[in-house]
Amino acid sequence: MREPLAIKNGALVVVSNQWGSNISDFIKCATDHNYEIEIVSQSSDDDELKIIDSSTDFVGSNDVSPKIKLPKNFFPNFKLEWGRLISFRLENNDDDYFYISLDMMTNEVVGDGEVDNINSRWFYSNDISLWEGHVEYRSYDGVLDISCEDEDSEWSIKCHGGFEELEDGDLPPSTTGNDIWDALGDGQVIYKLYEFVKANAV
């Protein structure tokens, strides 16, 4: 548009209906700066627009999953076109596993609202102990599975010090396992995420 619009508080804003594929970059930038994004979709029954809460868009309107808002974007190089709901599967100290799930669009940790145990609610397992070496060096360097399961993208990769193999699904077009590893595999960042979720789990 050529002229900005003045809104109630006097601020000038511009709008565009020609975002195309750039919209995911805009959403990522906005959520990185702690703006909340709501998904707007066109109703098939009438011409009115419906506002859909972003926390329910990918899981259904009856979602009761608890959420923890992250204080910053832990993974700024992740591209939203790779997927929205990302899960990390980490090894615990008993050679078993626990998970951390993130909504990359809203920058939130997603838990399981159907369990009472705090660890199970946020890590999908009661045992979330890490090997003492990870704790000592404050870096997770064990086996790491990274997966995405949403409407537009479904894939799973196995990593250990780097990308190893595609375990399931198909990676997004023009995307490699190394791309995803580079964006999500930093052991120190994963450890900070783990510590943050532990400290804020209720």
Side-chain angles (χ1 to χ4, degrees):
M1 68 176 294
R2 295 181 182 179
E3 297 293 333
L5 298 174
I7 58 177
K8 262 187 187 179
N9 64 4
L12 297 177
V13 298
V14 294
V15 297
S16 174
N17 63 357
Q18 299 177 11
W19 284 100
S21 60
N22 293 324
I23 190 65
S24 60
D25 293 333
F26 169 78
I27 291 171
K28 180 179 181 301
C29 182
T31 54
D32 286 351
H33 289 85
N34 296 320
Y35 288 96
E36 293 187 9
I37 303 295
E38 292 180 327
I39 308 300
V40 179
S41 66
Q42 185 74 34
S43 168
S44 59
D45 297 331
D46 51 48
D47 291 332
E48 294 180 1
L49 290 176
K50 293 182 178 178
I51 304 298
I52 303 174
D53 188 295
S54 60
S55 66
T56 66
D57 182 47
F58 65 92
V59 288
S61 59
N62 295 322
D63 177 42
V64 292
S65 299
K67 314 268 189 323
I68 300 174
K69 185 73 174 177
L70 294 173
K72 64 177 183 176
N73 187 343
F74 281 74
F75 305 101
N77 295 320
F78 181 83
K79 298 180 180 179
L80 274 175
E81 57 260 35
W82 295 347
R84 176 174 175 176
L85 185 62
I86 300 298
S87 290
F88 298 90
R89 187 176 84 156
L90 294 79
E91 285 185 316
N92 65 20
N93 204 29
D94 280 335
D95 294 323
D96 204 350
Y97 300 93
F98 63 90
Y99 298 80
I100 300 174
S101 292
L102 300 181
D103 183 333
M104 304 301 280
M105 179 180 287
T106 61
N107 200 35
E108 293 173 315
V109 182
V110 182
D112 183 350
E114 298 184 357
V115 294
D116 294 326
N117 179 279
I118 290 179
N119 286 352
S120 296
R121 180 180 305 147
W122 294 106
F123 295 95
Y124 302 86
S125 173
N126 189 43
D127 186 355
I128 61 169
S129 60
L130 288 178
W131 178 61
E132 59 186 20
H134 301 326
V135 177
E136 179 181 355
Y137 293 103
R138 302 185 61 78
S139 180
Y140 179 80
D141 300 312
V143 174
L144 176 67
D145 289 354
I146 306 172
S147 62
C148 172
E149 293 184 22
D150 58 38
E151 291 179 4
D152 301 320
S153 190
E154 187 170 337
W155 48 262
S156 178
I157 63 172
K158 182 176 183 179
C159 308
H160 194 185
F163 168 71
E164 290 189 349
E165 63 178 327
L166 176 66
E167 292 191 307
D168 192 26
D170 295 307
L171 293 177
S174 304
T175 305
T176 68
N178 286 319
D179 292 333
I180 294 172
W181 165 259
D182 290 343
L184 299 177
D186 187 311
Q188 291 181 336
V189 175
I190 291 171
Y191 186 84
K192 287 177 183 177
L193 174 63
Y194 163 79
E195 287 282 273
F196 174 83
V197 178
K198 275 205 316 180
N200 291 275
V202 292

